[in-house]
């Protein structure tokens, strides 16, 4: 994992020094904000219709009620814009990696997520589509969704705080891998 993180930092370092007008955007995914997950994304212009988006998220919180939604993740994505970068519709190819420790979550999740805790990591990739609306000269809002694959490796425990490991396994997942509504500031 450290090698992947270093590679992404090197890629960012390669593109940022040559930044010019509307080549870099900073963003926050409002859907993550709703779950109290801290997040920040940087999108870098690579060519007139190409960008590299690198969002990172982190949730360290452990509420008193025994619930857990601790995680951190990264989801770099190369995007092709049909009009011009940072404006209108795009398609993307993304990868993702996350570490998680979740459990004792409320009723909208499955019974397993209410009664057990899961700890592990996931990785994979997928395709996405999105659209960006310009609000003002430097401000915009963007929505995107993606479908893809994730390999999930996890350990299962009987409750959020205690208990012996019940299971150490993994599974393959195909389905939604991305959802965002992001508030964006373009840096000139």
């Amino acid at each position: 994992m450290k090698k992947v993180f270093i590679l992404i930092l090197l890629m960012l370092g390669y593109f940022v020094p040559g930044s010019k007008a509307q080549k870099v955007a900073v963003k926050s995914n409002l859907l993550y904000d709703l779950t109290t997950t801290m997040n920040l994304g940087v999108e870098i212009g690579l060519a007139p219709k190409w960008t590299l988006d690198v969002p990172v998220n982190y949730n360290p919180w452990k509420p008193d009620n025994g619930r857990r939604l601790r995680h951190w993740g990264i989801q770099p994505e190369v995007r092709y814009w049909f009009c011009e970068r940072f404006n209108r519709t795009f398609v993307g190819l993304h990868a993702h990696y996350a570490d998680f420790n979740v459990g004792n979550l409320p009723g909208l999740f499955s019974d397993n997520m209410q009664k057990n805790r899961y700890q592990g990591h996931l990785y994979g990739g997928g395709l996405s589509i999105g659209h960006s609306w310009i609000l003002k000269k430097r401000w915009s809002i963007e929505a995107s969704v993606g479908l893809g694959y994730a390999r999930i490796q996890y350990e299962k425990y009987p409750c959020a705080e205690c208990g012996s490991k019940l299971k150490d396994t993994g599974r393959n997942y195909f389905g939604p891998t991305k959802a965002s509504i992001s508030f964006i500031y373009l840096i000139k």
Side-chain angles (χ1 to χ4, degrees):
M1 177 55 216
K2 288 181 183 178
K3 290 178 184 178
V4 172
F5 185 68
I6 291 170
L7 177 63
I8 290 168
L9 286 177
L10 288 173
M11 288 171 40
L12 287 174
Y14 176 76
F15 293 112
V16 171
S19 64
K20 294 182 180 142
Q22 295 188 349
K23 275 198 169 184
V24 178
V26 179
K27 56 178 68 178
S28 178
N29 184 342
L30 302 175
L31 299 178
Y32 280 136
D33 293 340
L34 290 174
T35 66
T36 68
T37 299
M38 297 180 281
N39 69 94
L40 183 65
V42 175
E43 189 166 0
I44 302 160
L46 304 176
K49 292 189 175 198
W50 291 90
T51 60
L52 173 65
D53 181 36
V54 184
V56 177
N57 61 74
Y58 177 60
N59 190 327
W61 316 122
K62 182 181 167 191
D64 289 338
N65 57 12
R67 294 183 179 146
R68 288 212 180 160
L69 189 56
R70 289 181 169 185
H71 65 273
W72 78 268
I74 186 167
Q75 194 170 46
E77 178 176 60
V78 176
R79 294 176 168 181
Y80 175 80
W81 296 80
F82 292 105
C83 183
E84 61 184 352
R85 65 177 170 234
F86 306 113
N87 188 17
R88 304 184 111 188
T89 304
F90 65 86
V91 292
L93 174 65
H94 62 267
H96 45 257
Y97 179 87
D99 282 329
F100 58 87
N101 186 346
V102 298
N104 195 22
L105 296 175
L108 70 115
F109 297 96
S110 71
D111 282 344
N112 276 331
M113 293 298 282
Q114 291 178 23
K115 298 175 184 174
N116 299 298
R117 178 175 64 86
Y118 296 86
Q119 181 175 326
H121 65 274
L122 64 84
Y123 57 88
L127 300 171
S128 65
I129 187 165
H131 192 87
S132 181
W133 296 270
I134 295 174
L135 302 175
K136 292 210 174 206
K137 183 178 178 182
R138 293 186 185 206
W139 296 96
S140 59
I141 196 158
E142 171 188 289
S144 70
V145 294
L147 296 172
Y149 164 80
R151 175 67 184 163
I152 306 168
Q153 295 290 136
Y154 64 92
E155 299 168 348
K156 180 179 177 181
Y157 296 89
C159 65
E161 298 291 334
C162 58
S164 300
K165 186 184 337 180
L166 298 173
K167 188 190 283 189
D168 188 352
T169 189
R171 68 178 273 221
N172 295 312
Y173 166 82
F174 293 93
T177 53
K178 180 175 185 135
S180 70
I181 298 173
S182 299
F183 196 56
I184 301 166
Y185 178 76
L186 293 169
I187 299 172
K188 288 193 173 195

